[in-house]
Amino acid sequence: MKRLFLLLTFFIGITSTHSQETLEELKAIQGPKKDSIAAIQGRVDAIQAKIDALPGWKIGAFGIIGGSISSFENWYAQAKPNNNSGNIGFTVNAFANLNKEKFFWRNAANVNLSWVKLDDKDDPTDSDSFQEATDVFNISSLYGHKLSDKLALSGLGEYRTTVLSNFNDPGYLDLGVGVTWTPIKDLIVVVHPGNYNFVFSKEDTVFESSLGAKVLIDYTKQIKAISFKTNFSMFQSYESSNLSNWTWTNSFGYTIWKMIGVGFDFGLRSNKQEALNYALAQTPPTATSFEDVDNELQSYWMFGLNYKF
């Protein structure tokens, strides 16, 4: 019995040693393979960078789809124990850019739409349909004649409005000329001291077109599985600060599997004309003029599934 125990112990020791050596051998083989994969990926990335730098059209898009639905029956812990609710929304960021030796032409579109519903089943007078929540539509076109690799004379057209309701009421069209600076790849800085801001609206007493300066900063980047875009657009009126406005939008996307991932979108906006128009529409009005209106910061955000086109 003692000999059998010693023999069993010997075999266990041999097996453990062999397993340990096998694991170390496999790791030793795996190391150079990882280095080879990294080297190959580095060469692929370098080739892709050269492809991206070639003149010609570059077209792409990515967006976010988010939504949820719920139903409650006799859920007495909340104010409306019987309700159906839901929300759905999507954003799309698209671009089509042409780069030539002497000029460039950059076109972009940003659309952000969402709907919400809260149907109180105990209140027959409330609405049981989806209603507009977020409504953003923005397109721009920038043409530049290159003076150098980083500086160009440029002309910009940018249009902003809503599409689900009150289309072009208000609507904003900026047309201007100036210079565009591209300090690094994928970043553009537009400064147009000669810009006219056309404002379209039925409320002529609130909204007014004016001459001013336009500043636009856009950075769009794709780093492997990450898509990122930030856009800042500002109009500074020469006539009155009450006619100035700015909008800052940001989109992030992370691809998890194939073209599908998660995304986050948020935006900030300041527009005193819109604030006054909203205040005058309340019952009773919460302001009477630009002097007493509370121009609060506007904002939105959305989180959901991301799809890269």
Side-chain angles (χ1 to χ4, degrees), residues 135-137 160-162 166 168-172 197 199-201 203 206-208 241-247 268-282 286-287 290 293-299:
D135 193 353
V136 178
F137 180 81
R160 305 182 307 280
T161 187
T162 55
N166 300 324
N168 206 39
D169 184 23
Y172 305 90
N197 179 236
V199 184
F200 310 100
S201 174
E203 299 296 333
V206 175
F207 294 98
E208 183 179 344
S241 61
N242 295 328
L243 307 180
S244 303
N245 62 78
W246 61 264
T247 302
L268 301 173
R269 182 175 175 83
S270 177
N271 190 312
K272 203 167 186 178
Q273 295 179 89
E274 292 178 349
L276 178 58
N277 184 58
Y278 178 80
L280 292 174
Q282 304 307 300
T286 57
F290 285 115
V293 68
D294 188 6
N295 184 26
E296 295 184 353
L297 183 66
Q298 305 174 41
S299 67

Side-chain angles (χ1 to χ4, degrees), residues 49-68:
K50 291 181 180 180
I51 293 173
D52 293 339
L54 289 174
W57 283 101
K58 299 292 187 298
I59 300 174
F62 68 97
I64 297 172
I65 299 175
S68 67

Side-chain angles (χ1 to χ4, degrees), residues 17-35:
T17 303
H18 180 70
S19 299
Q20 183 65 31
E21 291 175 350
T22 302
L23 178 61
E24 291 176 353
E25 290 173 355
L26 290 173
K27 287 184 176 181
I29 296 172
Q30 186 186 52
K33 302 296 183 184
K34 287 185 175 181
D35 293 339

Side-chain angles (χ1 to χ4, degrees), residues 117-263:
K117 178 179 81 167
L118 177 58
D119 175 25
D120 184 356
K121 289 182 283 187
D122 296 326
D123 183 2
T125 63
D126 76 337
S127 174
D128 60 354
S129 60
F130 280 90
Q131 301 180 26
E132 299 87 356
T134 306
D135 193 353
V136 178
F137 180 81
N138 188 318
I139 56 174
S140 65
S141 183
L142 174 69
Y143 176 85
H145 178 75
K146 296 180 180 179
L147 301 176
S148 66
D149 291 339
K150 298 185 183 299
L151 195 64
L153 296 175
S154 57
L156 171 70
E158 182 185 39
Y159 177 67
R160 305 182 307 280
T161 187
T162 55
V163 294
L164 297 179
S165 62
N166 300 324
F167 176 72
N168 206 39
D169 184 23
Y172 305 90
L173 175 62
D174 280 298
L175 295 175
V177 293
V179 295
T180 294
W181 180 44
T182 54
I184 60 174
K185 187 176 180 293
D186 304 313
L187 172 64
I188 63 167
V189 180
V190 179
V191 180
H192 285 178
N195 183 94
Y196 199 82
N197 179 236
F198 295 90
V199 184
F200 310 100
S201 174
K202 298 176 182 178
E203 299 296 333
D204 295 334
T205 57
V206 175
F207 294 98
E208 183 179 344
S209 303
S210 64
L211 180 68
K214 180 75 172 181
V215 175
L216 187 145
I217 302 172
D218 186 275
Y219 185 67
T220 304
K221 188 70 175 177
Q222 172 75 39
I223 306 175
K224 296 183 179 179
I226 300 174
S227 300
F228 170 76
K229 179 181 177 66
T230 183
N231 181 280
F232 178 80
S233 177
M234 181 184 72
F235 171 73
Q236 182 64 47
S237 175
Y238 293 147
E239 297 182 22
S240 171
S241 61
N242 295 328
L243 307 180
S244 303
N245 62 78
W246 61 264
T247 302
W248 183 34
T249 59
N250 300 269
S251 297
F252 304 88
Y254 180 73
T255 304
I256 299 175
W257 177 73
K258 292 187 177 180
M259 308 298 282
I260 300 174
V262 294

Side-chain angles (χ1 to χ4, degrees), residues 20 63 78 96 98 152 232 283:
Q20 183 65 31
Q78 60 189 17
L98 176 63
F232 178 80
T283 307

